[in-house]
Every structure is written in structure tokens, then in C-alpha cells.
Amino acid sequence: MNILIAEDESDIRNLLKISLEGEGYKVFAAREGQEAYEIFKKENIDLAVLDVMMPRLDGFNLLRKIREDSTVPVIFLTARSEEMNKILGLGIGADDYLTKPFSMNELIARVKANLRRSSEYTNSPKENEESLKYGELTIDTDGCCAYLGDEPIELNAKEYKLLLHLMKNPEKVFTKKQLYSAVWDDEYFYDDNTIMVHISHLRNKIEADSQNPEYIKTIRGIGYKLHYRCKA
């Protein structure tokens, strides 16, 4: 597995490189965003760890360029504590984030978890079941793609797994922790905000009005459920 690190602080960059190489990964390290992007274009990167604040090209804009043609897992490292920065990061396609200072053991655990989930998604065997249909939503489980009516819906890996889980269990109420466990396959690093952000982006893609959703309903104080009532 090839991992890209983009971090302008040399001590952190070197520690990340040494620690991840100690786990058996091949690591490419960059001091700033543009250098990282050049490496990304040349090498077959399986996961990227990006600092948010970097010279020339910051982490958010680097991720935007990566997402133009790749869905590799991306973990943000940030010294900012404001929730809006975390939401922005997830909103442009980040898979995870850690706030500095962080435990190296936690970073390694998150790298392994994201690589495992990415591998399961891209190499999952075809399911022996027909396409799932609910209201105007359809999921083609063989092709791992979703449609609203006849129009395809562009979903990233976690959005697809989240919608698939809900469509397999229509009308069932899930807590945020249950959804995180089902989609992220990880209870230890449960993050309430991550679920809220992904539900919000999923609503933006499948709802006619995301502020008044017809499919993904909020059950106040509990969580969410997939509920659709055909219009008369």
C-alpha cells in the first residue's frame, strides 16, 4: 500500500513517515501541497494524509484536485478546532480527520480502517440480489450505483454504503452511532458530526428540497430513518 503524506512541519512529517513505514507501508512525503499533488499524479497512491494549512496549495484545495479523478481515502490533519473547518473538509470529499496534537497509534488505526473499508468497497463481490428500489430511488448492487428516477446519483463510497444500508432497512430508525458502526465499521472512533455531514450531503443529492426531506427523516433525539410516502 502506498501512502502520501503532505505536511509542512518537518518533525511531524518525519514521524509520520517513520511510523507508517514501520507498519509496512511505502510512504511518499511532501513538504507542501503542490509537491504532494505532483507525487499523487505520478504514483499509485492508496491513501493520503493531508495537513490543512500548507504553503502553495492548502489541504482543502489539494483534496479538490485529488477528487477530480480519484476516490482514494483522505485523512485531514488540522490544528483548527472550529467545526466549520471539519464540515468543509468532509464536504469536499475527506474521509476522516484528526485534530493536532494526535496519538500516532490513533492515526495508524485510522489509516488501517480507511484502507480496509476502501478495499472492501472496490473489491466487494457482487451480491446475488436484484436491484433495491424504494420510492424513486434505485440501487444497482452489482454496479454499486444509485439512481433517482432515471437519473444517476454521484455518490462517494461512504454515501453509497449509507444509502444502501438505509434502503436495506426502510422504515427502521437508526441512531447516529448505529449508522457509523454499519458504514464506517468502527465504533471506537465514532464521530457524531461525521454522520450529520454525510446525511446532509446525501440529502442534497437525493432530495428535491433538502430542508424538507421526503426520504431521509430525522427522528429527533434518536437518529434517522428512510421513510417515503408516495404522493397521491
Short mmCIF file of all heavy atoms in Angstrom, two decimals, residues 52 60 76 78-94 96-100 191 193-194 197-198 201:
data_model
loop_
_atom_site.label_atom_id
_atom_site.label_comp_id
_atom_site.label_asym_id
_atom_site.label_seq_id
_atom_site.Cartn_x
_atom_site.Cartn_y
_atom_site.Cartn_z
N VAL A 52 -3.96 20.57 6.74
CA VAL A 52 -4.85 21.59 6.18
C VAL A 52 -4.06 22.82 5.75
O VAL A 52 -4.18 23.29 4.62
CB VAL A 52 -5.94 21.98 7.20
CG1 VAL A 52 -6.71 23.19 6.71
CG2 VAL A 52 -6.89 20.82 7.43
N PHE A 60 -7.31 21.70 1.69
CA PHE A 60 -8.64 21.68 1.09
C PHE A 60 -8.57 21.74 -0.44
O PHE A 60 -9.24 20.99 -1.14
CB PHE A 60 -9.48 22.84 1.61
CG PHE A 60 -9.86 22.71 3.06
CD1 PHE A 60 -9.91 23.83 3.88
CD2 PHE A 60 -10.16 21.48 3.62
CE1 PHE A 60 -10.26 23.72 5.21
CE2 PHE A 60 -10.52 21.36 4.95
CZ PHE A 60 -10.57 22.48 5.76
N PHE A 76 -7.52 14.18 6.95
CA PHE A 76 -7.01 15.52 7.22
C PHE A 76 -6.34 15.58 8.59
O PHE A 76 -6.81 14.97 9.55
CB PHE A 76 -8.14 16.54 7.20
CG PHE A 76 -8.38 17.17 5.86
CD1 PHE A 76 -9.67 17.48 5.45
CD2 PHE A 76 -7.33 17.48 5.01
CE1 PHE A 76 -9.91 18.08 4.23
CE2 PHE A 76 -7.56 18.07 3.78
CZ PHE A 76 -8.84 18.38 3.39
N THR A 78 -5.44 18.63 11.20
CA THR A 78 -5.73 20.05 11.36
C THR A 78 -5.47 20.53 12.77
O THR A 78 -5.74 19.81 13.73
CB THR A 78 -7.19 20.35 10.97
OG1 THR A 78 -7.47 21.72 11.22
CG2 THR A 78 -8.16 19.49 11.76
N ALA A 79 -4.94 21.72 12.88
CA ALA A 79 -4.75 22.36 14.18
C ALA A 79 -5.95 23.21 14.54
O ALA A 79 -6.05 23.74 15.64
CB ALA A 79 -3.48 23.21 14.17
N ARG A 80 -6.89 23.37 13.60
CA ARG A 80 -8.08 24.17 13.84
C ARG A 80 -9.12 23.35 14.58
O ARG A 80 -9.31 22.19 14.31
CB ARG A 80 -8.67 24.64 12.51
CG ARG A 80 -7.73 25.51 11.69
CD ARG A 80 -8.39 25.87 10.38
NE ARG A 80 -7.56 26.76 9.59
CZ ARG A 80 -7.93 27.27 8.41
NH1 ARG A 80 -9.12 26.95 7.91
NH2 ARG A 80 -7.14 28.06 7.75
N SER A 81 -9.81 23.99 15.49
CA SER A 81 -10.83 23.27 16.26
C SER A 81 -12.25 23.65 15.86
O SER A 81 -13.20 23.03 16.30
CB SER A 81 -10.64 23.56 17.76
OG SER A 81 -10.74 24.96 18.02
N GLU A 82 -12.39 24.67 14.99
CA GLU A 82 -13.73 25.10 14.63
C GLU A 82 -14.47 24.02 13.84
O GLU A 82 -13.90 23.40 12.95
CB GLU A 82 -13.68 26.38 13.79
CG GLU A 82 -13.13 27.59 14.54
CD GLU A 82 -11.62 27.70 14.42
OE1 GLU A 82 -11.00 26.70 14.05
OE2 GLU A 82 -11.09 28.78 14.70
N GLU A 83 -15.72 23.78 14.17
CA GLU A 83 -16.50 22.74 13.50
C GLU A 83 -16.65 23.02 12.01
O GLU A 83 -16.68 22.09 11.21
CB GLU A 83 -17.89 22.64 14.14
CG GLU A 83 -17.88 22.02 15.52
CD GLU A 83 -17.39 20.60 15.51
OE1 GLU A 83 -17.78 19.84 14.60
OE2 GLU A 83 -16.60 20.24 16.40
N MET A 84 -16.71 24.29 11.60
CA MET A 84 -16.89 24.59 10.19
C MET A 84 -15.75 24.09 9.35
O MET A 84 -15.93 23.68 8.20
CB MET A 84 -17.07 26.10 9.98
CG MET A 84 -18.44 26.64 10.40
SD MET A 84 -19.81 25.75 9.62
CE MET A 84 -19.49 26.11 7.88
N ASN A 85 -14.55 24.10 9.88
CA ASN A 85 -13.42 23.60 9.12
C ASN A 85 -13.53 22.09 8.92
O ASN A 85 -13.20 21.55 7.86
CB ASN A 85 -12.11 23.93 9.83
CG ASN A 85 -11.78 25.41 9.76
OD1 ASN A 85 -11.97 26.04 8.73
ND2 ASN A 85 -11.31 25.97 10.84
N LYS A 86 -14.02 21.40 9.93
CA LYS A 86 -14.21 19.96 9.82
C LYS A 86 -15.31 19.65 8.81
O LYS A 86 -15.19 18.75 7.98
CB LYS A 86 -14.54 19.36 11.18
CG LYS A 86 -13.43 19.52 12.20
CD LYS A 86 -13.86 19.00 13.58
CE LYS A 86 -12.75 19.20 14.60
NZ LYS A 86 -13.13 18.73 15.94
N ILE A 87 -16.39 20.41 8.87
CA ILE A 87 -17.51 20.20 7.94
C ILE A 87 -17.07 20.47 6.51
O ILE A 87 -17.39 19.72 5.59
CB ILE A 87 -18.70 21.10 8.33
CG1 ILE A 87 -19.29 20.63 9.66
CG2 ILE A 87 -19.76 21.10 7.24
CD1 ILE A 87 -20.34 21.55 10.22
N LEU A 88 -16.29 21.55 6.31
CA LEU A 88 -15.80 21.86 4.97
C LEU A 88 -14.94 20.72 4.45
O LEU A 88 -15.06 20.31 3.30
CB LEU A 88 -14.99 23.16 5.00
CG LEU A 88 -14.30 23.55 3.69
CD1 LEU A 88 -15.32 23.71 2.57
CD2 LEU A 88 -13.49 24.83 3.88
N GLY A 89 -14.09 20.21 5.31
CA GLY A 89 -13.22 19.12 4.88
C GLY A 89 -13.99 17.90 4.45
O GLY A 89 -13.73 17.30 3.41
N LEU A 90 -14.99 17.51 5.23
CA LEU A 90 -15.81 16.36 4.87
C LEU A 90 -16.65 16.66 3.64
O LEU A 90 -16.89 15.80 2.81
CB LEU A 90 -16.70 15.97 6.04
CG LEU A 90 -15.98 15.41 7.26
CD1 LEU A 90 -16.93 15.31 8.44
CD2 LEU A 90 -15.38 14.05 6.96
N GLY A 91 -17.09 17.91 3.51
CA GLY A 91 -17.96 18.28 2.41
C GLY A 91 -17.31 18.19 1.05
O GLY A 91 -17.99 17.99 0.04
N ILE A 92 -16.00 18.33 0.97
CA ILE A 92 -15.32 18.24 -0.33
C ILE A 92 -14.71 16.86 -0.56
O ILE A 92 -13.95 16.68 -1.48
CB ILE A 92 -14.24 19.33 -0.48
CG1 ILE A 92 -13.18 19.21 0.63
CG2 ILE A 92 -14.86 20.71 -0.49
CD1 ILE A 92 -12.03 20.19 0.45
N GLY A 93 -15.08 15.92 0.28
CA GLY A 93 -14.69 14.54 -0.01
C GLY A 93 -13.67 13.91 0.90
O GLY A 93 -13.11 12.87 0.58
N ALA A 94 -13.40 14.52 2.07
CA ALA A 94 -12.49 13.89 3.02
C ALA A 94 -13.18 12.70 3.68
O ALA A 94 -14.39 12.67 3.84
CB ALA A 94 -12.04 14.89 4.09
N ASP A 96 -11.86 11.30 6.71
CA ASP A 96 -11.62 11.30 8.15
C ASP A 96 -10.75 12.51 8.49
O ASP A 96 -10.20 13.15 7.59
CB ASP A 96 -10.90 10.01 8.55
CG ASP A 96 -11.19 9.59 9.98
OD1 ASP A 96 -11.71 10.43 10.76
OD2 ASP A 96 -10.90 8.43 10.33
N TYR A 97 -10.63 12.83 9.77
CA TYR A 97 -9.74 13.91 10.19
C TYR A 97 -9.26 13.66 11.61
O TYR A 97 -9.90 12.98 12.41
CB TYR A 97 -10.43 15.27 10.09
CG TYR A 97 -11.66 15.43 10.95
CD1 TYR A 97 -11.55 15.76 12.31
CD2 TYR A 97 -12.92 15.25 10.41
CE1 TYR A 97 -12.67 15.90 13.09
CE2 TYR A 97 -14.06 15.39 11.20
CZ TYR A 97 -13.92 15.71 12.54
OH TYR A 97 -15.04 15.84 13.32
N LEU A 98 -8.10 14.21 11.91
CA LEU A 98 -7.55 14.19 13.25
C LEU A 98 -7.13 15.60 13.61
O LEU A 98 -6.56 16.32 12.79
CB LEU A 98 -6.32 13.27 13.33
CG LEU A 98 -6.59 11.76 13.42
CD1 LEU A 98 -5.29 10.99 13.26
CD2 LEU A 98 -7.22 11.43 14.76
N THR A 99 -7.41 16.01 14.84
CA THR A 99 -7.02 17.33 15.31
C THR A 99 -5.70 17.24 16.08
O THR A 99 -5.54 16.38 16.95
CB THR A 99 -8.12 17.92 16.22
OG1 THR A 99 -9.35 17.96 15.51
CG2 THR A 99 -7.75 19.32 16.66
N LYS A 100 -4.76 18.09 15.73
CA LYS A 100 -3.46 18.11 16.41
C LYS A 100 -3.63 18.69 17.81
O LYS A 100 -4.43 19.62 18.01
CB LYS A 100 -2.47 18.98 15.64
CG LYS A 100 -2.17 18.49 14.23
CD LYS A 100 -1.24 19.47 13.52
CE LYS A 100 -0.95 19.05 12.10
NZ LYS A 100 -0.11 20.02 11.38
N ASP A 191 -17.95 9.36 15.53
CA ASP A 191 -17.99 10.83 15.47
C ASP A 191 -19.38 11.26 15.04
O ASP A 191 -19.79 11.03 13.91
CB ASP A 191 -16.93 11.34 14.49
CG ASP A 191 -16.85 12.86 14.48
OD1 ASP A 191 -17.71 13.50 15.09
OD2 ASP A 191 -15.93 13.39 13.84
N ASN A 193 -20.55 14.20 14.41
CA ASN A 193 -20.54 15.22 13.36
C ASN A 193 -20.36 14.60 11.97
O ASN A 193 -20.94 15.06 10.99
CB ASN A 193 -19.42 16.23 13.62
CG ASN A 193 -19.43 17.37 12.63
OD1 ASN A 193 -20.41 18.09 12.53
ND2 ASN A 193 -18.36 17.51 11.88
N THR A 194 -19.59 13.53 11.89
CA THR A 194 -19.36 12.87 10.60
C THR A 194 -20.67 12.36 10.02
O THR A 194 -20.93 12.53 8.82
CB THR A 194 -18.37 11.70 10.77
OG1 THR A 194 -17.11 12.22 11.21
CG2 THR A 194 -18.16 10.96 9.46
N VAL A 197 -22.85 15.29 8.74
CA VAL A 197 -22.35 15.86 7.48
C VAL A 197 -22.70 14.96 6.30
O VAL A 197 -23.17 15.42 5.26
CB VAL A 197 -20.83 16.08 7.56
CG1 VAL A 197 -20.27 16.42 6.18
CG2 VAL A 197 -20.50 17.19 8.54
N HIS A 198 -22.50 13.64 6.45
CA HIS A 198 -22.78 12.73 5.34
C HIS A 198 -24.27 12.62 5.06
O HIS A 198 -24.68 12.51 3.89
CB HIS A 198 -22.17 11.35 5.62
CG HIS A 198 -20.70 11.28 5.34
ND1 HIS A 198 -19.76 11.80 6.20
CD2 HIS A 198 -20.02 10.79 4.28
CE1 HIS A 198 -18.57 11.61 5.69
NE2 HIS A 198 -18.69 11.01 4.53
N HIS A 201 -25.08 15.74 3.01
CA HIS A 201 -24.66 15.65 1.60
C HIS A 201 -25.52 14.66 0.83
O HIS A 201 -25.84 14.88 -0.35
CB HIS A 201 -23.19 15.27 1.52
CG HIS A 201 -22.28 16.34 2.03
ND1 HIS A 201 -22.38 17.65 1.64
CD2 HIS A 201 -21.25 16.30 2.90
CE1 HIS A 201 -21.46 18.37 2.24
NE2 HIS A 201 -20.76 17.57 3.03
#
